[in-house]
Amino acid sequence: MTFDLTPEQDQLRDAVRALGRRYGHGYFVEKAKAGEHTSELWTEAGRLGYLGVNIPTEYGGGGGGITELAIVCEELAAAGCPLLLLVVSPAIAATVITRHGTEEQHKRHLPGLADGSAKIVFAITEPEAGSNFHRLGTVARRDGDDWVLNGRKCYISGVDEAGHVLVVARTEDSSTGKLKPALFLVPTDAAGLTRSKLDMEIVSPENQFLLYLDDVRVPADALLGESLDAGLPALFAGLNPERITVAAMGAGTGRYAIERASEYTATRKVWGGRSIGSHQGVSHPLAHAAVQVELARLMIQKAATLYDAGRDLEAGVAGNMAKYAAGEAAALAVDTAVQALGGAGMTTEYGVATLLGAVRAGRIAPVSREMILNFVAQHVLGQEKSY
Ligand SMILES: Cc1cc2nc3c(=O)[nH]c(=O)nc-3n(C[C@H](O)[C@H](O)[C@H](O)COP(=O)(O)OP(=O)(O)OC[C@H]3O[C@@H](n4cnc5c(N)ncnc54)[C@H](O)[C@@H]3O)c2cc1C
């Protein structure tokens, strides 16, 4: 067992950290409040190869794994720039396309994802289905060589920034008549695809949308993979990378908040010569949050290592646990940091309250803490399913 990163991973971490710090949380918040995107940071990260670390080298990527992508997510978040689209585009879309796309889809989509010039977002959630993906109502039906998609999706991140959206729909299996999932690469400017922006209480330069698919016609090669049979495995392929990278983003955000608070409490003096951090009522909650974040980081490392070793089932358990732990730790860390800063904690200037919405959402999305507990109860503890 080793807890050390390789020298290359160490270098990657240092380089991403330096890049993130050059932009910083002030930049992130300024963009969010202006209704703009963090395009400069994204473009630079892409040019430096950080967005494609997990994409095979033959398509312009770094040839690494989810361990490397988790490092990128964590370090940018630790610098105050938690970019959700890292989870959606390089983690979910690039993994799904690499593992289950056709050679033509590899060539068309992976180079752009690797250098950051293209973004592909992911649409599974639906208003009526919610956490119950078995109830998905978006349907794709064959019409000649084309597919025609109809349905509604909600909370879809980054549609305004992306060239394509990877839509999870259902198709009719001609042999059984049953509906089964399939993934489609739909251009965001396709006729019949419309969107409306959701007002979210999250300070973020990335937006969520309601998507309406009304007779959206796409050619046969928009279907991800060689055949309809690719659908289910492709859907599952995205889950572990999603959980591991979103956990890494949470851990990075937790580190950021604790660092801001520790700097403040070590120097702020309101009772004579002693810092407020000398009072254990202030320092212990911060220390407790630091322990929770560090425990989550260990689980993330385990999950990423298992995933990169091809041990998908074990990575599934570890990835879910990592996501749960990091989601809770990030929420605790940011809330504790706000408290430790007192009134300053609620100002934009000190840059911690600006993360409250994001870490709260991290306990709901992309998979809620309750659905992870259901998973652990059933698959680890052998409990009966209640739903
Ligand atoms: C900021 C943000 C970004 C998002 N980005 C995307 C995106 O890019 N693409 C995408 O497809 N989706 C996205 N989502 C959607 C997200 O994945 C869903 O919100 C999440 O899966 C929960 O679904 P729901 O909101 O419908 O909640 P519901 O399913 O309605 O659940 C509501 C509550 O009930 C609990 N619950 C439900 N069923 C059970 C059960 N069986 N046992 C115990 N508790 C249960 C849930 O845990 C939750 O607390 C995003 C959401 C947010 C907030």
Side-chain angles (χ1 to χ4, degrees), residues 84 122-125 130-131 154-157 200 202 208 364-366 368 370-371 374 387:
L84 183 58
F122 183 62
I124 183 165
T125 309
S131 303
C154 55
Y155 308 119
I156 308 309
S157 302
M200 306 290 281
I202 304 173
Q208 278 69 45
I364 298 165
S368 70
E370 291 77 20
M371 292 311 289
N374 284 334
Y387 52 95

Side-chain angles (χ1 to χ4, degrees), residues 17-83:
R17 179 181 299 166
L19 174 71
R21 287 190 173 174
R22 201 144 47 70
Y23 283 88
H25 190 60
Y27 162 81
F28 182 87
V29 171
E30 197 182 298
K31 289 285 172 184
K33 293 202 167 173
E36 294 172 5
H37 303 306
T38 48
S39 314
E40 302 82 2
L41 172 56
W42 186 274
T43 303
E44 195 168 349
R47 189 171 50 73
L48 293 168
Y50 305 153
L51 304 179
V53 282
N54 59 319
I55 293 175
T57 49
E58 61 263 47
Y59 304 109
I66 288 300
T67 303
E68 282 75 15
L69 190 59
I71 290 171
V72 175
C73 292
E74 181 179 339
E75 291 308 321
L76 286 182
C81 300
L83 298 185

Side-chain angles (χ1 to χ4, degrees), residues 1-3 74 251 291-305 318 322 325:
M1 195 187 300
T2 170
F3 296 105
E74 181 179 339
V291 172
Q292 301 307 309
V293 169
E294 199 55 28
L295 289 173
R297 293 183 74 226
L298 266 184
M299 203 58 185
I300 292 163
Q301 201 179 348
K302 176 176 176 179
T305 304

Side-chain angles (χ1 to χ4, degrees), residues 177-199:
K178 285 192 181 152
L179 290 174
K180 63 181 194 180
L183 275 65
F184 293 88
L185 284 151
V186 179
T188 46
D189 61 0
L193 182 71
T194 51
R195 61 178 187 246
S196 66
K197 185 170 166 295
L198 287 162
D199 282 333

Side-chain angles (χ1 to χ4, degrees), residues 86-240:
L86 286 172
V87 173
V88 178
S89 196
I92 303 178
T95 302
V96 166
I97 294 170
T98 301
R99 288 183 90 171
H100 295 281
T102 61
E103 186 47 32
E104 161 60 20
Q105 287 164 345
H106 291 163
K107 286 189 187 141
R108 193 182 327 154
H109 295 291
L110 293 178
L113 292 177
D115 68 17
S117 58
K119 291 181 191 136
I120 300 182
V121 294
F122 183 62
I124 183 165
T125 309
E126 295 185 2
E128 279 78 31
S131 303
N132 182 3
F133 300 132
H134 298 287
R135 281 189 62 194
L136 289 188
T138 298
V139 172
R141 98 187 131 72
R142 204 86 220 225
D143 185 27
D145 281 346
D146 296 343
W147 289 96
V148 178
L149 278 70
N150 279 286
R152 273 198 308 157
K153 300 283 178 185
C154 55
Y155 308 119
I156 308 309
S157 302
V159 189
D160 55 337
E161 300 183 58
H164 286 79
V165 51
L166 192 55
V167 173
V168 183
R170 286 169 170 279
T171 56
E172 196 176 36
D173 186 326
S174 52
S175 55
T176 62
K178 285 192 181 152
L179 290 174
K180 63 181 194 180
L183 275 65
F184 293 88
L185 284 151
V186 179
T188 46
D189 61 0
L193 182 71
T194 51
R195 61 178 187 246
S196 66
K197 185 170 166 295
L198 287 162
D199 282 333
M200 306 290 281
E201 295 299 333
I202 304 173
V203 179
S204 171
E206 294 155 324
N207 301 309
Q208 278 69 45
F209 294 87
L210 273 169
L211 276 190
Y212 306 91
L213 297 106
D214 295 306
D215 287 331
V216 175
R217 181 174 289 274
V218 287
D221 64 3
L223 174 73
L224 185 102
E226 300 288 353
S227 76
L228 283 177
D229 291 336
L232 201 56
L235 187 54
F236 281 113
L239 295 184
N240 284 336

